[in-house]
Amino acid sequence: MSSTRFQRILLKVGGESLIGDRDYGIDPQAALNVAERIKSIHEKGVQVAVVIGGGNIFRGISASKNGIDRATADYMGMLATVMNALALQDALEKSNVETRVQSALVMPSVAESFVRRRAIRHMEKGRVIILAAGTGSPYVTTDTGASLHALELQCDVLMKATKVDGIFDKDPVKFPDARRFKTLTFADAINMPGVEVMDTAALAMSKENNMPLMVFELFKGNNLQEAVEGGDVGTYVSNDVETAFA
Ligand code: UDP
């Protein structure tokens, strides 16, 4: 057992974290940078499941606006997450972290199929489990996959790594006066105008099942290590807090 606050976490990493300086696709060095962060908490004995996105390669909703059938485009997006999962697996194993990829779309030549009890067993044996293909169903994103997997794998918390350090009252990239929340209720995360966290479906599932959510920047300082130790990083979303600015 680890001595950290959280023993088992679900880390949601967007596909863009693998893009590096490119406009599109996978930069192996960026994958290694993500792997290094994951390794730093794995070394502390934290059990880690990673849900990887696909936005660096393909997003269903954008492709459907350009004329591809929405469900087909979403399946293409899920395939993109499988490519990212393999890239992250490669980077983690190069960093001497044992891993397994499990996919919600059956693909036996490249990944195990998602089996809940098996995923838990892998984590108990010290393997980082990388979950590909989100939920395996179209019309949602990997955020919903992350919320679902956090619940069924009995994680202590869902951590969403983002490009900005937490949740703001408006887009901090566009508005320099945007303010960061230190804590946020799920109700406010869902209903407050201007606040964008993750899909409503994902938030609703986390809210109804009391799965706390932390949102922070993966590459800022030692954010991930501090987060698993219960440090005050990014924004903490729960049913048990009051909404407050940092
Ligand atoms: N996707 C899906 N169902 C899922 C997960 C993902 O249809 O359960 C598709 C969807 O088209 C999405 C794409 O896969 O746009 C890539 O995932 P996402 O946009 O969540 O990636 P991220 O933004 O996290 O990189």
Side-chain angles (χ1 to χ4, degrees):
M1 236 177 56
S2 73
S3 57
T4 49
R5 172 173 176 198
F6 300 115
Q7 314 290 317
R8 180 182 294 165
I9 68 155
L10 189 304
L11 178 66
K12 159 69 209 288
V13 181
E16 285 186 1
S17 63
L18 302 181
I19 220 167
D21 294 330
R22 304 174 184 215
D23 299 328
Y24 167 89
I26 300 167
D27 173 359
Q29 185 55 50
L32 283 169
N33 294 344
V34 174
E36 191 189 300
R37 300 292 162 139
I38 296 170
K39 182 178 179 166
S40 73
I41 56 163
H42 178 256
E43 280 174 344
K44 291 179 186 287
V46 178
Q47 295 183 14
V48 187
V50 183
V51 165
I52 183 86
N56 54 323
I57 301 173
F58 201 89
R59 275 209 179 87
I61 199 150
S62 325
S64 72
K65 284 182 189 143
N66 293 327
I68 300 184
D69 168 75
R70 171 70 195 267
T72 302
D74 279 339
Y75 279 108
M76 293 167 74
M78 286 183 255
L79 293 177
T81 72
V82 178
M83 291 172 66
N84 283 339
L86 295 181
L88 185 58
Q89 175 173 49
D90 179 73
L92 278 163
E93 302 235 321
K94 286 203 169 84
S95 311
N96 297 315
V97 178
E98 205 185 337
T99 63
R100 290 289 185 275
V101 176
Q102 286 199 350
S103 171
L105 293 178
V106 178
M107 223 175 284
S109 309
V110 293
E112 291 180 7
S113 296
F114 178 72
V115 178
R116 186 182 83 90
R117 294 175 66 113
R118 201 174 203 195
I120 291 173
R121 190 79 192 112
H122 285 317
M123 287 191 284
E124 286 171 349
K125 284 187 172 169
R127 297 170 185 146
V128 169
I129 182 105
I130 304 165
L131 299 164
T135 62
S137 296
Y139 294 98
V140 288
T141 71
T142 51
D143 282 351
T144 302
S147 182
L148 195 61
H149 284 315
L151 288 164
E152 64 182 328
L153 297 177
Q154 297 166 332
C155 295
D156 301 321
V157 64
L158 165 53
M159 295 186 175
K160 178 170 166 157
T162 51
K163 282 188 291 186
V164 291
D165 199 27
I167 303 169
F168 291 75
D169 59 350
K170 46 192 166 184
D171 185 349
V173 179
K174 289 188 200 142
F175 301 97
D177 62 337
R179 291 204 290 166
R180 176 170 66 87
F181 293 101
K182 177 181 162 66
T183 50
L184 192 64
T185 63
F186 274 116
D188 283 342
I190 293 168
N191 296 320
M192 254 192 198
V195 173
E196 279 183 31
V197 186
M198 59 205 296
D199 302 351
T200 311
L203 284 172
M205 206 185 313
S206 295
K207 176 178 189 285
E208 278 164 26
N209 297 286
N210 272 318
M211 173 59 64
L213 165 70
M214 290 179 83
V215 180
F216 55 85
E217 191 179 339
L218 184 61
F219 292 113
K220 187 179 167 201
N222 291 323
N223 258 358
L224 182 58
Q225 286 187 53
E226 285 174 28
V228 297
E229 277 159 9
D232 178 19
V233 298
T235 303
Y236 183 80
V237 189
S238 147
N239 290 319
D240 308 322
V241 292
E242 288 190 4
T243 295
F245 286 109

